[in-house]
């Protein structure tokens, strides 16, 4: 915990300044990925389509969380925070489907 | 305060004192942006469970009625949904830029970006209202005679569509109101370069709204 706090000591005193251009770059990537997911839906892939859509949506979310929501520059404790929340949700999904698929 | 910088001295003696107990100057015990953000993230996790649960329901029924879901999905307009996706992504950019500008002490640019974010939020809601309106004209709303006559799988699709996009639109409206509030506080100096965690937290909320739409759009519009 001490080490983690030390890690981002500077970030606490003076906020990490992300250049404007980085945000614009992330935005362009998000728009491009939206294009990819729309194009992919036109291609007839039957049941794989949903997985492609989810994969692209996950990639977009990762960009938003890391850069727009600053997780990439926050204190490491936010990583563990976020990971435990996602892990909890994944457990909900897995348990629900384990039950659902075999009833 | 159109001035580009707000010094701690200007913050001093502001009438908005005591709005929050931890209102104290930056660097002084009591102003703890990391703790504030942690509280915000905790709240966002409850939002993850709210929308996450609805996504699980969607997935379970999609698994059960894939054909009906795909048929119903094809009645949604992809260009309109895609346009709204671009609108929300752009609003996320302007929100992030508003924070970045204030971090550099540029109040003018920050307020401009907040205005743009509110504008995009309103645009999103107008487009969404027309989309829903179009569905209503075709007799499609939860429990309508037309929908009740459909296959059960399609009924579930439309019910979930209205509940989830409705919950999401509610978040957009609340978010726009919160950003308006942040703008007021930025203009009167209670949010400033030295103390901008409130803007950052409302920004986090706004990006969450964007995140939910990132999943809603492909799952509802693109599965046909």
């Amino acid at each position: 915990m001490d080490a983690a706090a030390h890690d981002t000591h500077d970030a606490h005193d003076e906020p990490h300044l992300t250049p404007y251009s980085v945000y614009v770059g992330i935005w362009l990537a998000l728009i491009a990925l939206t294009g990819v997911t729309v194009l992919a839906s036109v291609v007839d892939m039957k049941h794989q389509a949903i997985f492609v859509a989810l994969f692209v949506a996950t990639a977009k979310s990762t960009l938003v969380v890391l850069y727009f929501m600053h997780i990439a520059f926050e204190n490491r404790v936010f990583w563990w925070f976020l990971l435990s929340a996602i892990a909890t949700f994944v457990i909900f999904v897995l348990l629900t489907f384990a039950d659902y698929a075999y009833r | 305060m159109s001035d580009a910088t707000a010094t701690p001295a200007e913050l001093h003696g502001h009438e908005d004192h005591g709005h929050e107990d931890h209102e104290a100057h930056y660097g002084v015990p009591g102003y703890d942006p990391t703790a504030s953000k942690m509280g915000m993230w905790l709240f966002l996790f409850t939002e993850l469970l709210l929308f996450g649960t609805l996504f699980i329901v969607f997935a379970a029924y999609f698994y059960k009625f894939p054909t009906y879901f795909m048929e119903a999905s094809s009645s949604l307009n992809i260009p309109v949904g895609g346009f709204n996706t671009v609108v929300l992504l752009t609003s996320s950019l302007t929100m992030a830029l508003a924070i970045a500008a204030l971090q550099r002490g540029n109040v003018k640019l920050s307020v401009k970006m907040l205005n743009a974010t509110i504008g995009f939020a309103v645009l999103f809601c107008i487009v969404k209202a027309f989309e829903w309106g179009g569905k209503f004209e075709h007799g499609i709303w939860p429990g309508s005679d037309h929908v009740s006559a459909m296959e059960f799988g399609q009924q579930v699709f439309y019910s979930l569509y209205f509940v989830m996009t409705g919950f999401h639109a509610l978040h957009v409206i609340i978010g726009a109101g919160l950003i308006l509030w942040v703008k007021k506080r930025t203009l009167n100096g209670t949010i400033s370069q030295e103390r901008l965690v409130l803007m950052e937290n409302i920004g986090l909320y706004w990006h969450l709204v964007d995140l939910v739409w990132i999943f809603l759009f492909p799952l509802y519009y693109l599965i046909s």
Side-chain angles (χ1 to χ4, degrees):
Chain A
M1 183 67 211
D2 257 353
H6 225 82
D7 232 17
T8 47
H9 182 74
D10 286 343
H12 188 90
D13 284 327
E14 33 187 287
H16 175 94
L17 286 183
T18 311
Y20 293 143
S21 57
V22 170
Y23 290 120
V24 176
I26 296 295
W27 173 74
L28 284 174
L30 290 169
I31 300 288
L33 284 170
T34 305
V36 168
T37 196
V38 171
L39 286 179
S41 75
V42 179
V43 182
D44 192 22
M45 288 186 291
K46 299 283 174 207
H47 293 294
Q48 272 82 28
I50 187 78
F51 295 106
V52 174
L54 282 176
F55 179 77
V56 175
T58 307
K60 286 167 78 179
S61 309
T62 309
L63 288 178
V64 170
V65 169
L66 286 182
Y67 294 96
F68 284 172
M69 297 172 97
H70 295 138
I71 281 294
F73 316 113
E74 290 290 0
N75 192 310
R76 283 284 140 179
V77 74
F78 283 89
W79 273 96
W80 297 112
F81 227 44
L82 183 61
L83 279 180
S84 57
I86 292 172
T88 307
F89 180 64
V90 169
I91 290 168
F92 284 177
V93 172
L94 292 179
L95 284 182
T96 306
F97 278 90
D99 178 25
Y100 192 67
Y102 295 105
R103 64 170 57 213
Chain B
M1 195 189 297
S2 60
D3 207 274
T5 53
T7 63
E10 284 174 275
L11 294 169
H12 209 67
H14 203 275
E15 80 232 45
D16 213 15
H17 261 332
H19 180 82
E20 276 149 319
D21 282 337
H22 60 260
E23 293 250 344
H25 290 158
Y26 186 68
V28 169
Y31 178 69
D32 189 343
T34 304
S36 298
K37 274 186 241 176
M38 254 180 211
M40 193 64 200
W41 275 101
L42 268 184
F43 168 68
L44 294 188
F45 297 153
T46 71
E47 294 275 26
L48 169 73
L49 293 184
L50 168 71
F51 283 103
T53 311
L54 289 168
F55 277 116
I56 292 176
V57 175
F58 178 93
Y61 278 105
F62 182 44
Y63 180 74
K64 195 168 182 181
F65 304 112
T67 339
Y68 293 131
F69 266 49
M70 288 179 196
E71 271 173 36
S73 167
S74 64
S75 79
L76 298 179
N77 191 321
I78 294 176
V80 173
F83 175 77
N84 251 355
T85 306
V86 173
V87 168
L88 265 200
L89 289 175
T90 312
S91 78
S92 252
L93 169 69
T94 54
M95 186 70 230
L97 289 178
I99 295 164
L102 195 62
Q103 280 175 341
R104 291 162 172 81
N106 192 341
V107 175
K108 260 188 184 168
L109 180 61
S110 183
V111 169
K112 263 185 203 164
M113 287 297 141
L114 291 177
N115 280 335
T117 312
I118 296 167
F120 286 126
V122 171
L123 181 59
F124 178 91
C125 287
I126 291 172
V127 172
K128 199 77 229 162
F130 273 105
E131 248 188 313
W132 275 33
K135 284 277 163 288
F136 293 161
E137 271 175 28
H138 288 94
I140 295 174
W141 63 85
S144 71
D145 291 342
H146 183 49
V147 169
S148 303
M150 290 178 180
E151 296 291 342
F152 182 67
Q154 292 187 324
Q155 291 184 33
V156 174
F157 179 89
Y158 284 117
S159 295
L160 283 171
Y161 167 75
F162 282 109
V163 167
M164 290 180 77
T165 58
F167 258 126
H168 178 263
L170 184 66
H171 279 74
V172 172
I173 293 165
I174 293 171
L178 289 171
I179 295 166
L180 195 65
W181 175 56
V182 162
K183 179 192 151 188
K184 260 185 81 177
R185 295 190 57 144
T186 308
L187 284 171
N188 74 19
T190 37
I191 294 177
S192 66
Q193 187 180 10
E194 289 79 18
R195 316 160 52 81
L196 46 69
V197 73
L198 182 59
M199 187 189 282
E200 287 184 289
N201 280 346
I202 300 305
L204 288 175
Y205 181 83
W206 190 251
H207 297 309
L208 176 98
V209 170
D210 190 20
L211 282 178
V212 171
W213 186 258
I214 284 175
F215 283 94
L216 281 180
F217 171 62
L219 288 181
Y220 280 94
Y221 291 75
L222 302 181
I223 55 171
S224 57

